[in-house]
Amino acid sequence: MTETKQIAILVTFTLLLGICSIVIISYAPTFFEGDITVGNYTAKYYANGTLLEEYVYDVKTSGKYRMLFRSWEAPLSTKKLDIPYIEFLNVSTSQNAVPYFKDYYGSVWLPEPYIKDLEVFNMVKSLAENNEVGILNINRFDAGRFKVNYKFRIYPPLECDSNLCHLNLKLATKHFTYRNVTLTVEDSSYIENIYPHPPDLKIVRGEGKIVLKGQIAKDKLLELEFLFKKEILSALESFPRSLSDVKSPTVQANAMYSIQYFTASTLRVGTQILTIVFPILFLLIYVIYGREKSFTVPKYLSIIPNENRKPWIVNLVFKGDAVDYDENGFYATILDLHLRGKLKLKSKNGGLTIQVLDTEGTDPYEGRLINFLKKISSDGIVDTDELKKFAIDFTEKKELWQHFTNLKEDIYYLTKRAETNVARSFMVNGRNRIIPMILTSTILFIISLVLYFMLANVTSLAAAIFSSTILMIQSVMGVASPSTLFGKWRGSAYKEKLEWESFKNFLSELAMIKRYTPQDIAMWSKWLVYGTSLGVGDNVVKAMKELGIFIEEAKLLHNIPLIVQPIITASLPGDHWEVGGGVGRGFGAGGGFGGGGAGAR
């Protein structure tokens, strides 16, 4: 496969992965928001503590829910309490449902005439939680939209100094998704400043009021933090306490909260953008560092590109990635050494014998292969029939365990690693250019994960975690690409790479082999050697069978794996080696009084 196709595949797949991840993130909240959402949440808050709320519940499933409600974490009561509390004033709906209220103590309120209906009373008593107000349909609600109005009076805790008073009012903490939120703060002349949580709510200041709009994800904080002028004490019945300064801690806490929130938001959006940027970076790195000269090479090549090239080098450099080696190079080298008269291979009763004849002119890899054969030989002969007994003797004799371990290391070298440094003379490895992307995606993932747990009340970072995971996958895909994709082939090595691929294509097609059947039997042996090195030796053997051509090397090739199988399958004790591969006061977000939110059961 040409590098143009390789980079096209990489960029296409990583880009599609990035686009799909953004689509998933965009639609995931809708998928996970459940059977009920709050289509519209409208609230008005007055200086005297009155809170008017309107919930429009969107119920998607009929016959599932019998109660739609609004809960609080603060005490809810109709009686005056000596602690900060919320006074229930009214609940109403135009739907065919029964309004109800259950206070902090567990007492139930129902309107006439339902107060005398024991079935309704007992159902509310048993099912409703304390500090809850809502509507009940004994026969369960049908799918549709249900509007419910609530009226409360807030008696909050205040912190006051000589000039200002501070109130942190939580309107929702655990709740359904609020698709559209409109908060109106009346009597704004009392307000010195207001800090919405989350801080990205849109604020519009009008005459005598402040309007805030936005949307709130499921179970995320909705809160208003106020700095009131001291005159608020004359309008709002509350539970004040004196502090030397309320402005500084309010400003500081909200500055930190805003930094955290917008950092999280930037991280969430930034990681999503990077899932599109990474594929573009792959393309840019390829164009700048990895693009090769264009060569015209036929799809099929019947001539061996370079008969002087050692089979193990062909496997290492030209078969797949330029630094990957496999057992086919090992098998092909043994067969090549046999043809060159360095080894003598003979078939024997379904097995194989090997005799070392000569070591002159061998390279380091071939030399280590021959030394391995000597180690497992007996009287200078390697006999595959005797190797199983040989392996058993090694594993049963403790004094030979180290030697046995060394043999396994030899096999690993000969079948999986080889002289990988040789590849450097043919190419420049470009995978190190992807390391910054690996590091970036990993760091972003760790930061997202840490902030997810640290800032759970601030914002959701699940999307950032997901996107950074996609970034890591994209980076791994880049690293898994051929090492030369972002590097360079030296000299004419890329042209030779393409020629070996064309030769492999030729040997993979039986029809092509039949068309160019060589008359010279020796050529079949060379095709078998290089075909084995390229991983298509079986195709050459199959072609010879169909053409009625027999060479001894085809039978020998079938038995060569028997040389290493007994040692690979045998193991020492413990050896697993293998070849292969609420109520409260506080400054800042979440520290307010109130809480709760829309629910259903």
Side-chain angles (χ1 to χ4, degrees):
M1 184 186 298
T2 63
E3 289 193 346
T4 304
K5 290 183 179 179
Q6 291 171 353
I7 190 63
I9 291 172
L10 176 63
V11 171
T12 300
F13 274 91
T14 53
L15 184 59
L16 286 175
L17 187 60
I19 293 172
C20 288
S21 69
I22 293 175
V23 171
I24 290 172
I25 290 171
S26 299
Y27 288 95
T30 302
F31 181 79
F32 290 107
E33 66 188 9
D35 294 327
I36 298 181
T37 60
V38 176
N40 289 289
Y41 170 69
T42 305
K44 287 186 178 183
Y45 180 70
Y46 296 83
N48 66 357
T50 299
L51 177 65
L52 305 179
E53 295 183 314
E54 180 181 277
Y55 287 82
V56 179
Y57 300 88
D58 288 335
V59 180
K60 303 174 186 177
T61 305
S62 297
K64 185 175 182 179
Y65 299 99
R66 57 164 60 97
M67 303 175 87
L68 304 176
F69 57 84
R70 192 263 195 264
S71 65
W72 289 94
E73 294 171 3
L76 188 60
S77 177
T78 56
K79 300 176 181 180
K80 189 171 184 177
L81 303 179
D82 56 3
I83 58 172
Y85 71 102
I86 298 170
E87 180 184 7
F88 166 71
L89 298 177
N90 189 36
V91 53
S92 62
T93 181
S94 60
Q95 311 297 328
N96 184 22
V98 181
Y100 70 89
F101 154 67
K102 190 174 183 180
D103 68 10
Y104 77 104
Y105 196 68
S107 299
V108 173
W109 170 90
L110 293 170
E112 293 288 351
Y114 299 103
I115 190 63
K116 298 179 181 179
D117 190 323
L118 289 179
E119 181 181 6
V120 173
F121 181 87
N122 290 333
M123 187 172 290
V124 173
K125 184 71 175 177
S126 61
L127 295 179
E129 299 288 341
N130 291 356
N131 303 315
E132 180 178 301
V133 54
I135 58 174
L136 166 70
N137 186 330
I138 296 178
N139 298 317
R140 301 182 186 271
F141 292 99
D142 292 328
R145 308 194 84 191
F146 300 88
K147 183 187 296 185
V148 185
N149 293 93
Y150 304 100
K151 185 176 182 180
F152 305 98
R153 178 74 57 81
I154 311 294
Y155 297 85
L158 293 182
E159 293 85 18
C160 299
D161 58 20
S162 58
N163 298 309
L164 301 172
C165 286
H166 168 263
L167 167 63
N168 207 344
L169 178 63
K170 282 195 291 190
L171 296 172
T173 50
K174 188 171 181 61
H175 55 85
F176 297 129
T177 298
Y178 291 11
R179 290 188 175 276
N180 294 289
V181 173
T182 302
L183 301 175
T184 303
V185 181
E186 302 284 356
D187 310 319
S188 62
S189 60
Y190 288 99
I191 298 173
E192 177 76 14
N193 210 339
I194 185 170
Y195 302 90
H197 307 150
D200 58 357
L201 291 177
K202 182 180 179 181
I203 300 178
V204 178
R205 297 180 183 272
E207 187 174 345
K209 63 183 179 181
I210 300 172
V211 180
L212 304 94
K213 295 186 177 183
Q215 57 184 14
I216 306 296
K218 183 179 180 181
D219 294 337
K220 292 306 170 185
L221 179 67
L222 177 59
E223 186 175 65
L224 297 178
E225 190 163 6
F226 299 92
L227 279 178
F228 287 115
K229 298 174 183 177
K230 197 67 175 285
E231 290 78 8
I232 191 67
L233 292 175
S234 63
L236 177 63
E237 189 173 347
S238 60
F239 294 82
R241 64 167 177 158
S242 296
L243 294 179
S244 59
D245 179 24
V246 297
K247 184 174 182 177
S248 295
T250 301
V251 172
Q252 292 172 6
N254 280 279
M256 179 59 66
Y257 169 65
S258 294
I259 291 172
Q260 293 172 342
Y261 183 88
F262 289 113
T263 298
S265 298
T266 301
L267 187 63
R268 186 171 61 246
V269 175
T271 51
Q272 293 181 56
I273 294 174
L274 283 177
T275 60
I276 304 300
V277 171
F278 267 30
I280 299 174
L281 285 178
F282 286 139
L283 183 59
L284 289 176
I285 294 172
Y286 168 75
V287 170
I288 296 172
Y289 298 105
R291 185 165 53 180
E292 302 288 345
K293 295 179 181 178
S294 179
F295 295 99
T296 301
V297 176
K299 182 177 181 181
Y300 299 102
L301 190 64
S302 61
I303 301 173
I304 298 173
N306 187 343
E307 292 190 36
N308 295 322
R309 191 72 72 198
K310 296 291 182 69
W312 70 270
I313 294 180
V314 173
N315 179 276
L316 172 65
V317 179
F318 301 112
K319 175 180 179 287
D321 190 11
V323 292
D324 288 346
Y325 190 74
D326 63 30
E327 62 276 5
N328 289 304
F330 171 69
Y331 302 149
T333 300
I334 290 179
L335 202 58
D336 180 58
L337 290 171
H338 168 74
L339 293 175
R340 288 160 53 194
K342 307 300 180 183
L343 301 176
K344 184 177 181 180
L345 279 65
K346 291 179 64 177
S347 297
K348 176 189 174 184
N349 301 325
L352 184 71
T353 62
I354 303 177
Q355 183 180 5
V356 177
L357 300 178
D358 181 25
T359 60
E360 190 75 24
T362 56
D363 60 32
Y365 175 82
E366 294 169 336
R368 187 161 175 176
L369 187 156
I370 291 173
N371 286 334
F372 167 75
L373 294 176
K374 289 179 178 179
K375 290 178 184 179
I376 62 175
S377 66
S378 178
D379 297 327
I381 302 293
V382 177
D383 189 333
T384 56
D385 291 338
E386 298 296 324
L387 278 178
K388 187 174 293 186
K389 297 177 183 178
F390 175 83
I392 293 174
D393 287 341
F394 270 95
T395 57
E396 289 182 348
K397 296 177 181 178
K398 191 172 183 178
E399 64 273 15
L400 298 177
W401 284 3
Q402 183 59 51
H403 187 47
F404 183 77
T405 300
N406 291 338
L407 289 178
K408 285 198 168 188
E409 291 175 353
D410 285 339
I411 292 175
Y412 179 80
Y413 167 86
L414 293 170
T415 62
K416 295 299 175 185
R417 191 168 65 86
E419 295 290 330
T420 51
N421 288 338
V422 170
R424 296 179 182 176
S425 63
F426 292 90
M427 46 74 70
V428 176
N429 194 330
R431 283 179 174 154
N432 60 336
R433 297 192 174 100
I434 308 300
I435 292 177
M437 299 173 73
I438 288 280
L439 293 176
T440 299
S441 59
T442 303
I443 291 171
L444 288 174
F445 175 79
I446 294 173
I447 293 174
S448 300
L449 196 63
V450 171
L451 292 180
Y452 177 81
F453 292 104
M454 289 179 59
L455 308 179
N457 289 327
V458 175
T459 183
S460 175
L461 280 163
I465 294 173
F466 179 71
S467 295
S468 56
T469 302
I470 297 298
L471 291 174
M472 288 193 292
I473 294 173
Q474 291 174 321
S475 301
V476 169
M477 291 174 69
V479 171
S481 299
S483 55
T484 53
L485 186 61
F486 302 109
K488 278 285 186 181
W489 289 91
R490 300 183 189 274
S492 61
Y494 182 58
K495 181 176 183 293
E496 186 176 346
K497 163 76 170 176
L498 298 177
E499 290 172 345
W500 282 110
E501 288 185 354
S502 296
F503 182 62
K504 180 180 179 180
N505 292 338
F506 168 76
L507 295 181
S508 300
E509 294 287 341
L510 183 59
M512 295 299 296
I513 294 178
K514 289 180 178 180
R515 185 183 303 177
Y516 296 93
T517 303
Q519 300 301 317
D520 184 4
I521 292 297
M523 183 57 68
W524 280 103
S525 297
K526 292 182 178 180
W527 278 10
L528 185 60
V529 169
Y530 287 108
T532 301
S533 180
L534 293 168
V536 292
D538 289 342
N539 289 20
V540 179
V541 173
K542 182 179 178 181
M544 287 190 294
K545 286 182 179 180
E546 292 201 12
L547 294 171
I549 298 171
F550 173 80
I551 59 173
E552 179 66 19
E553 287 78 13
K555 187 175 181 181
L556 294 173
L557 177 62
H558 178 73
N559 294 326
I560 289 177
L562 297 175
I563 299 170
V564 295
Q565 282 179 356
I567 301 174
I568 292 174
T569 55
S571 62
L572 298 174
D575 182 11
H576 300 287
W577 184 92
E578 63 181 46
V579 176
V583 179
R585 307 169 185 263
F587 298 91
F593 170 80
R601 68 174 63 84

